[in-house]
């Protein structure tokens, strides 16, 4: 790709290769920046991970991508806890009850370790948590279906601490069409969805356009009175045809009203090879069955997949691939419009080499330094941009 910092990057990398002590300087500087800067991650799926089997994330855990020791090691201070509701609950009363249970899980985390965690509902509270050595846990709702078509439920979830809402998930719902759903019942936002966006503006809830269809994105941009976020999306330039990521025009549009795209780390969001791995596997399986005259059974499928994965290993993305996405957004929209939305605990075993859990933020910072990013710009990526949007949304609500 065309790197906006190509000259600086090559010089920095060459210097690093020629002078081993320079690499140490980058690592030390990265650790310092990560330690002294609030790091906001727009999307971490801890509540859903803990829904079926509770783990005490205040100590080290053997599963998942997040726990307190690893977060401290990585300098993570403000991970948005994803209050995720599966699309199969859309349109049912259970959707709201499920979202409330997910919030209950975060409240339990804090209640059991109040010296380590704090639920935060404002930017000021995030900064207070940081200054007192606690990890802030702001809440973001992934999938607006728990609103059940009733704006009163929007007020309910605002009261419980929700500070962004991803309007849809994998299926079109009462608010918005989804990028994953071929059924486009609204051709963007529904009439109720338009009301939701306006009410979110009034309440001070950030509008999250990750997961929505392209038409819904443009509808939001016409309606919203405040900046929006893409809490965990990447650049479609690297995954052509993958609507879940944002295309160049959408990224440019974010710059017109101060919005931010927060880069998703999942390998299938980051590289074309990973994005096409499952479709290619499915096509190869179908061809195999047809050639061999085999029925589609669990035994046949599992045997094929085991062999396929041995001969065609999953092509994990790398730290450099993630940095390419940051570069792309900066090239198109500017340094003020990019952040981090890893999707830790939400993308399974597809995380990039070098970014496998929440201890890895210093590695990302080091990579940015090597590409020539200034410290002040790195701090914008780590939290400055996201917190600016949140403050702007708070200020608009306070003015109503």
């Amino acid at each position: 790709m065309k790197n906006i910092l190509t000259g600086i990057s090559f010089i920095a990398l060459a210097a690093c290769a020629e002078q081993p002590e320079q690499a140490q300087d980058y690592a030390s500087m990265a650790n310092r920046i990560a330690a002294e800067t609030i790091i906001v991650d727009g999307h971490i799926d801890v509540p859903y991970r803990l829904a079926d089997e509770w783990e005490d994330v205040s100590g080290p855990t053997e599963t998942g991508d997040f726990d307190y020791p690893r977060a401290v090691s990585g300098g993570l201070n403000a991970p948005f806890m994803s209050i995720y509701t599966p699309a199969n609950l859309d349109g049912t009363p259970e959707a709201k009850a499920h979202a409330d249970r997910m919030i209950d899980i975060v409240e339990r985390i804090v209640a059991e370790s109040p010296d380590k965690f704090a639920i935060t509902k404002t930017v000021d509270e995030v900064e207070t948590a940081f200054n007192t050595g606690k990890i802030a846990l702001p809440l973001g709702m992934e999938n607006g279906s728990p609103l059940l078509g009733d704006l009163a439920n929007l007020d309910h979830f605002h009261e419980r601490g929700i500070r962004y809402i991803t309007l849809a998930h994998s299926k079109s719902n009462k608010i918005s069409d989804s990028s994953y759903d071929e059924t486009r019942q609204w051709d963007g936002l529904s009439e109720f969805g338009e009301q939701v966006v306006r009410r979110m503006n009034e309440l001070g809830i950030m509008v999250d356009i990750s997961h929505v269809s392209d038409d819904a994105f443009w509808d939001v941009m016409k309606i919203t009175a405040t900046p929006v976020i893409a809490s965990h999306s990447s650049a479609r330039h690297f995954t052509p045809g993958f609507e879940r990521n944002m295309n160049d025009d959408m990224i440019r549009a974010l710059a017109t009203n101060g919005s931010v795209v927060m880069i998703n780390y999942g390998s299938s969001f980051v590289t074309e090879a990973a994005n096409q791995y499952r479709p290619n596997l499915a096509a190869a399986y179908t061809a195999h069955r047809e050639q061999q005259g085999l029925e589609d059974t669990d035994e046949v499928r599992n045997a094929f997949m085991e062999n396929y994965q041995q001969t065609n290993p999953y092509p994990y993305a790398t730290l450099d691939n993630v940095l390419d996405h940051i570069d792309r957004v900066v090239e198109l929209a500017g340094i003020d419009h990019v952040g981090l939305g890893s999707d830790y605990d939400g993308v399974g075993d597809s995380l990039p080499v070098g970014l496998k859990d929440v201890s890895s933020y210093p590695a990302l910072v080091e990579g940015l330094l090597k590409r020539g990013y200034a410290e002040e710009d790195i701090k914008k990526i780590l939290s400055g941009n996201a917190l600016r949007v949140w403050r702007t949304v708070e200020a608009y609500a306070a003015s109503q």
Side-chain angles (χ1 to χ4, degrees), residues 30-62:
N31 284 320
R32 175 184 60 76
I33 292 171
E36 69 183 26
T37 307
I38 295 175
I39 297 180
V40 172
D41 191 309
H43 193 90
I44 295 185
D45 278 291
V46 171
Y48 197 69
R49 165 189 159 197
L50 301 183
D52 292 330
E53 185 172 355
W54 176 261
E55 284 187 288
D56 180 8
V57 294
S58 70
T61 58
E62 295 184 2

Side-chain angles (χ1 to χ4, degrees), residues 210-286:
S210 287
H211 279 284
V212 303
S213 68
D214 286 5
D215 287 338
F217 167 84
W218 292 112
D219 284 350
V220 168
M221 295 300 283
K222 291 175 185 175
I223 293 167
T224 183
T226 67
V228 304
I229 62 170
S231 68
H232 57 308
S233 295
S234 298
R236 200 180 305 173
H237 171 81
F238 300 98
T239 55
F242 185 46
E243 191 175 351
R244 175 64 179 80
N245 277 343
M246 301 186 67
N247 68 31
D248 287 358
D249 287 341
M250 297 162 75
I251 292 170
R252 290 188 188 98
L254 294 177
T256 66
N257 74 341
S259 300
V260 173
V261 55
M262 308 175 81
I263 301 301
N264 190 315
Y265 291 1
S267 289
S268 65
F269 290 79
V270 175
T271 69
E272 178 73 353
N275 187 265
Q276 292 302 306
Y277 183 79
R278 293 189 187 284
N280 290 343
L281 186 158
Y285 174 60
T286 298

Side-chain angles (χ1 to χ4, degrees), residues 319-332:
L319 167 61
D320 275 330
N321 294 138
V322 173
L323 295 173
D324 289 344
H325 283 257
I326 293 174
D327 283 354
R328 184 70 181 179
V329 176
V330 173
E331 177 183 12
L332 295 170

Side-chain angles (χ1 to χ4, degrees), residues 19-324:
Q19 302 179 37
E21 68 273 11
Q22 185 66 45
Q24 182 62 42
D25 289 344
Y26 281 133
S28 298
M29 189 174 182
N31 284 320
R32 175 184 60 76
I33 292 171
E36 69 183 26
T37 307
I38 295 175
I39 297 180
V40 172
D41 191 309
H43 193 90
I44 295 185
D45 278 291
V46 171
Y48 197 69
R49 165 189 159 197
L50 301 183
D52 292 330
E53 185 172 355
W54 176 261
E55 284 187 288
D56 180 8
V57 294
S58 70
T61 58
E62 295 184 2
T63 66
D65 310 321
F66 172 95
D67 56 40
Y68 181 80
R70 284 182 284 176
V72 170
S73 174
L76 177 61
N77 317 105
F80 269 88
M81 295 287 99
S82 172
I83 306 305
Y84 164 64
T85 298
N88 67 310
L89 298 180
D90 288 2
T92 72
E94 176 60 18
K96 180 184 177 185
H98 177 86
D100 277 322
R101 285 197 296 273
M102 295 299 99
I103 297 173
D104 291 343
I105 287 172
V106 183
E107 291 180 344
R108 177 181 173 184
I109 291 171
V110 173
E112 293 187 1
S113 302
D115 57 324
K116 296 179 179 177
F117 300 107
I119 291 178
T120 52
K121 300 180 180 181
T122 67
V123 176
D124 285 348
E125 289 180 359
V126 169
E127 292 176 343
T128 297
F130 176 73
N131 292 330
T132 56
K134 297 181 182 180
I135 294 177
L137 300 179
L139 307 180
M141 176 181 283
E142 184 178 24
N143 193 355
S145 66
L147 301 185
L148 303 180
D150 186 348
L151 289 179
N153 287 325
L154 189 55
D155 290 67
H156 164 78
F157 284 113
H158 177 263
E159 181 64 26
R160 291 215 66 185
I162 294 296
R163 289 302 179 266
Y164 78 65
I165 296 177
T166 317
L167 301 180
H169 192 252
S170 58
K171 294 291 183 182
S172 176
N173 61 20
K174 292 182 179 180
I175 299 170
S176 173
D177 291 333
S178 165
S179 62
Y180 284 127
D181 192 348
E182 294 182 0
T183 300
R184 303 295 166 99
Q185 61 176 320
W186 311 115
D187 293 324
L189 293 181
S190 67
E191 183 177 344
F192 175 66
E194 294 176 1
Q195 296 172 7
V196 167
V197 169
R198 293 188 178 100
R199 184 60 180 153
M200 288 172 69
N201 289 167
E202 293 170 357
L203 288 172
I205 301 174
M206 290 178 282
V207 180
D208 178 20
I209 51 76
S210 287
H211 279 284
V212 303
S213 68
D214 286 5
D215 287 338
F217 167 84
W218 292 112
D219 284 350
V220 168
M221 295 300 283
K222 291 175 185 175
I223 293 167
T224 183
T226 67
V228 304
I229 62 170
S231 68
H232 57 308
S233 295
S234 298
R236 200 180 305 173
H237 171 81
F238 300 98
T239 55
F242 185 46
E243 191 175 351
R244 175 64 179 80
N245 277 343
M246 301 186 67
N247 68 31
D248 287 358
D249 287 341
M250 297 162 75
I251 292 170
R252 290 188 188 98
L254 294 177
T256 66
N257 74 341
S259 300
V260 173
V261 55
M262 308 175 81
I263 301 301
N264 190 315
Y265 291 1
S267 289
S268 65
F269 290 79
V270 175
T271 69
E272 178 73 353
N275 187 265
Q276 292 302 306
Y277 183 79
R278 293 189 187 284
N280 290 343
L281 186 158
Y285 174 60
T286 298
H288 169 72
R289 285 197 302 107
E290 291 176 351
Q291 291 168 2
Q292 301 297 322
L294 300 171
E295 294 293 325
D296 180 18
T297 65
D298 289 344
E299 183 179 3
V300 169
R301 188 183 313 110
N302 291 338
F304 176 83
M305 289 183 63
E306 181 178 356
N307 181 67
Y308 185 91
Q309 290 167 351
Q310 288 177 352
T311 57
N312 300 274
Y314 185 76
Y316 289 100
T318 66
L319 167 61
D320 275 330
N321 294 138
V322 173
L323 295 173
D324 289 344

Side-chain angles (χ1 to χ4, degrees), residues 341-354:
S342 65
D343 215 348
Y344 281 133
D345 279 334
V347 289
D349 184 34
S350 73
L351 290 161
V353 176

